[in-house]
Amino acid sequence: MEYVYGRLFIDGEWVTPASDRVIDVISAHSEQQIGQVPAGTPDDIDAAVTAARNAFEDPAGWAHWTAPQRAVILNRFADEIESRRDEFARRVSLQNGMPITIARRTEAAAPAALLRYYAELITQHSTEERRPSLLSGTTVVRREPIGVVAAIVPWNFPQCLTFFKLAPALAAGCAVVVKPAPETVLDAFLVAEAAAAAGLPAGILNIVTGGGEVGAHLVTHPGVDKVAFTGSTAAGKAIAEQCARLMRPATLELGGKSAGIILEDFDLSRATQALFGATLLNQGQTCYLSTRIFAPHNRYDEVVDAFTALAANLPIGDPLDRSTVIGPLATRRQRDTVESYIAKGVAEGGRITTGGGRPAGLPHGWYVEPTIFADVDNSATIAQEEIFGPVLSIIRYRDIDDAITQANDSAYGLGGTVWTADADRGLEVARRIHSGSVGINGFALDHGAPFGGVKNSGIGRELGPEGLAAYQQLKSIYLPA
Ligand code: NAD
């Protein structure tokens, strides 16, 4: 076995876990075991939250350091992550099947970039502002770190989604307990190694492995001040209920079923790369993808042909091979789910134009061919429910009002795209889409701008200055005249 860890990273040390249970880490490509780590328990969560609480409460601790002092450590943390960049990409790719070229561009690059971005942001802006009071005197408005943060992440982009939380939380002065998904734990251990090497003070970052039960214990722990969760809408709703009872703030980044609207003037032949990135990236296991494609009725066949050609020509295979564009799905369970949606799509009258099965010549690994469904109605199950796999539905629209009405007829609202030769027109359409983010002629997620969803896609925003504000509590101090 390539990777074996026997301890958890709690209070700045590698500690013996509370139980001897383990998580076996399986490769999505080989289906072989590649690693073993301890399975965290509620007792380990208790130890981690206590460590975080003590570190946060320390009157001379991280929360009270100046912004430049924290920035030095955050930049060192970024350096340590960068020096492990290849290993981050490799571990993510081995575990969840993400093609290595995509893992390098996203998972291996985003953590350090985010740490540096938030280090810079905190040094640019003071956390105290003096305002003339509307009565008399002066009011000091302070932005204080919110406290101990529970960060719970899924397996699809484990590093990006960890650092969407960790970088702003640490920058704000918070202490964090991270609970990675059991499917992608090996990269989380590398984060702990980098944090220790960077000199992050003990207790400011703690990592406890485990599944939903361990996550649920963390969410309701009395020592936690804020929950930051990325994952399924079902788990997000359960967490929202718990947090509501506890009056505990929560940022929830949940599922999606975003719309891609192709306007009549758009030349699809010039945008293959951008179309792929916005619809099928990471085998469709990316939350913001435009998986409902709206095509003008008079160009419907042409759009179907273009997507069929795109999907049929994507190189499928070993995610560690640099020429691979489509790897396996992350888990056997995920492949079962995707295959059951494909069957439902057929049963409800959808017409498969390419894919629909498992690729030939790959006897192991949880592979599913990129699949295009034509003749899909927006009310069909495959057009309404999140599949989280390489499956697109192409839906007709009459005119732009019809396209927007159908696009907004969804329980979700996370991403979306508009494809047009006229960027101004694209912006007009984007303004009418009920969603947290929309891309024109592609989807280039900007780390400097807020990202999140409406409706079943969640509550709150990550990234940008707004992502830092999510880890700060406002306090007003009224000074006499
Ligand atoms: P999941 O909800 O099953 O699990 C996500 C994480 O939450 C895991 O670490 C899991 O162990 C933990 N968890 C599960 N139930 C919990 C509970 N009741 N309390 C606390 N923790 C719990 O999701 P998944 O299947 O691993 O991930 C895929 C989902 O994530 C998709 O729906 C996808 O759209 C969503 N996602 C959203 C975004 C976004 O930014 N909006 C990004 C990526 C993925």
Side-chain angles (χ1 to χ4, degrees), residues 12-339:
E13 291 184 9
W14 293 96
V15 301
T16 303
S19 99
D20 56 7
R21 283 193 291 146
V22 293
I23 294 174
D24 292 334
V25 186
I26 311 293
S27 151
H29 169 67
S30 70
E31 300 183 34
Q32 300 296 311
Q33 185 170 353
I34 50 170
Q36 190 175 74
V37 303
T41 60
D43 287 344
D44 297 308
I45 291 285
D46 292 348
V49 175
T50 301
R53 190 84 249 158
N54 290 340
F56 181 74
E57 301 290 350
D58 178 353
W62 181 251
H64 302 280
W65 288 20
T66 63
Q69 287 172 327
R70 281 204 297 271
V72 167
I73 299 291
L74 294 177
N75 282 319
R76 256 193 238 153
F77 194 7
D79 294 341
E80 293 295 338
I81 286 175
E82 267 164 358
S83 71
R84 295 165 174 80
R85 180 188 291 170
D86 291 349
E87 187 59 14
F88 270 110
R90 182 180 150 75
R91 288 191 190 190
V92 171
S93 185
L94 268 174
Q95 293 170 105
N96 74 3
M98 180 184 294
I100 189 76
T101 50
I102 297 170
R104 280 174 188 274
R105 239 181 24 239
T106 57
E107 292 289 281
L114 285 163
L115 286 167
R116 294 194 198 287
Y117 169 71
Y118 282 108
E120 175 79 19
L121 204 63
I122 52 166
T123 48
Q124 279 171 357
H125 301 282
S126 166
T127 47
E128 270 194 14
E129 180 196 330
R130 283 173 175 254
R131 297 181 193 172
S133 165
L134 292 184
L135 296 171
S136 68
T138 302
T139 300
V140 176
V141 177
R142 277 174 59 76
R143 278 175 286 138
E144 301 180 344
I146 205 163
V148 173
V149 173
I152 300 175
V153 287
W155 43 259
N156 61 332
F157 282 87
Q159 282 304 304
C160 291
L161 296 169
T162 296
F163 279 85
F164 280 16
K165 298 160 185 55
L166 194 51
L170 294 180
C174 297
V176 185
V177 178
V178 175
K179 209 290 291 164
E183 296 82 0
T184 43
V185 278
L186 299 177
D187 48 303
F189 282 82
L190 211 49
V191 172
E193 287 170 17
L200 200 66
I204 291 300
L205 170 63
N206 310 273
I207 300 179
V208 180
T209 55
E213 278 174 36
V214 173
H217 185 74
L218 176 59
V219 164
T220 54
H221 197 290
V224 167
D225 297 300
K226 155 144 192 158
V227 175
F229 171 79
T230 299
S232 61
T233 296
K237 286 186 175 178
I239 290 169
E241 278 180 26
Q242 302 280 13
C243 288
R245 276 195 206 101
L246 295 164
M247 292 295 282
R248 184 166 291 173
T251 302
L252 304 166
E253 302 281 3
L254 311 178
K257 191 74 196 179
S258 302
I261 303 180
I262 316 281
L263 299 190
E264 279 177 37
D265 64 6
F266 189 66
D267 180 359
L268 289 142
S269 66
R270 294 179 165 217
T272 312
Q273 195 56 35
L275 282 168
F276 164 75
T279 60
L280 288 165
L281 185 77
N282 198 26
Q283 297 83 257
Q285 300 166 128
T286 311
C287 51
Y288 58 70
L289 293 179
S290 298
T291 50
R292 293 180 297 145
I293 302 298
F294 291 93
H297 67 100
N298 54 350
R299 288 188 60 197
Y300 186 78
D301 292 342
E302 192 194 325
V303 172
V304 170
D305 289 347
F307 274 96
T308 303
L310 168 72
N313 288 308
L314 296 170
I316 306 180
D318 184 345
L320 288 182
D321 182 334
R322 295 184 69 87
S323 64
T324 292
V325 177
I326 295 284
L329 297 182
T331 60
R332 183 187 298 277
R333 182 168 55 98
Q334 193 61 20
R335 182 176 66 182
D336 291 347
T337 305
V338 171
E339 288 182 337

